Amino acid sequence: MNKEIVQVRDLTSGYQETAVLDNVSMTAREGEITVILGSSGCGKTTLLKHLIRLYLPWSGTIRLFDQDITRMDETAFNHLLRKVGVLFQNGALLNSLTVSENVAIPLEQHTDLSADLVDRLIKVKLQLVELGYAADRLPAELSGGMRKRAALARALALDPPLLFCDEPSAGLDPITTASLDSLILKLRDWLGVSVVMVSH
């Protein structure tokens, strides 16, 4: 059995006085796709935000790669976070940058690679998500599905072993959704990446 890469135990949290997550536990295993499924407003994205420590829980523990992220200092957590890619619900691309420039952000911020090597890695990542032809386009020039693929390429820029996807098919038509789902399956198989996906 594949080892656990995400472990949430008895997580309770919420906003101000209102509990949103009550004693939630879950695991995700290496090399698998784990889906957090539920209706709108049930706390799926809130749980995901706890997994990348945008929120801290009221109680309970969260372990990534067998490390308790609720007890780590900021420096140690930021180092650990390089092993995690995040595909945000709306893509979260910077509108003033081209697709290539968006994908370059993690590589420029977290590595000392030469500009030439960064350019080559960008091309590889865009080819992986079947978006090589759109490298010089701005996000406003992309369809919804293309924006998700560009954001996926950026999430994979540092070759993370773990990928979090928040509603990757939100706002997409059924055909584009099926295509994106198929791509995520292929990436899991090609790259061995573990995926935790939020979906309604």
Side-chain angles (χ1 to χ4, degrees), residues 12-34:
T12 297
S13 191
Y15 307 104
Q16 297 176 335
E17 303 297 319
T18 305
V20 175
L21 304 171
D22 185 17
N23 257 359
V24 172
S25 295
M26 64 156 287
T27 59
R29 295 187 179 277
E30 196 174 51
E32 296 182 356
I33 296 176
T34 303

Side-chain angles (χ1 to χ4, degrees), residues 137-156:
R137 296 188 192 180
L138 293 169
E141 300 172 307
L142 306 178
S143 67
M146 291 167 70
R147 282 194 295 272
K148 294 289 177 76
R149 287 171 183 263
L152 184 55
R154 185 181 60 190
L156 295 170

Side-chain angles (χ1 to χ4, degrees), residues 9 11 25 45 49 53 59 66 72 95 108 136 146 152 196:
R9 296 289 179 267
L11 177 65
S25 295
T45 296
K49 287 179 177 177
R53 215 165 81 161
S59 62
D66 210 27
M72 300 175 79
N95 291 326
E108 292 172 346
D136 296 324
M146 291 167 70
L152 184 55
V196 176

Side-chain angles (χ1 to χ4, degrees), residues 4-7 28 36 47-54 62-69 72 76-88 103 105-107 109-111 125 151-166 191-197:
E4 294 178 352
I5 197 168
V6 178
Q7 300 165 313
I36 302 169
L47 175 57
L48 193 64
K49 287 179 177 177
H50 279 80
L51 295 179
I52 54 175
R53 215 165 81 161
L54 290 178
I62 304 168
R63 301 181 74 86
L64 300 183
F65 305 102
D66 210 27
Q67 297 185 61
D68 186 348
I69 67 169
M72 300 175 79
F77 178 69
N78 286 336
H79 184 74
L80 179 70
L81 204 55
R82 294 180 193 181
K83 298 168 69 175
V84 177
V86 183
L87 174 58
F88 294 98
V103 176
I105 292 171
L107 294 164
Q109 288 187 342
H110 299 296
T111 74
K125 301 307 176 185
L152 184 55
R154 185 181 60 190
L156 295 170
L158 296 175
D159 294 319
L162 178 60
L163 177 66
F164 292 135
C165 300
D166 186 13
L191 306 177
V193 64
S194 309
V195 181
V196 176
M197 180 185 299

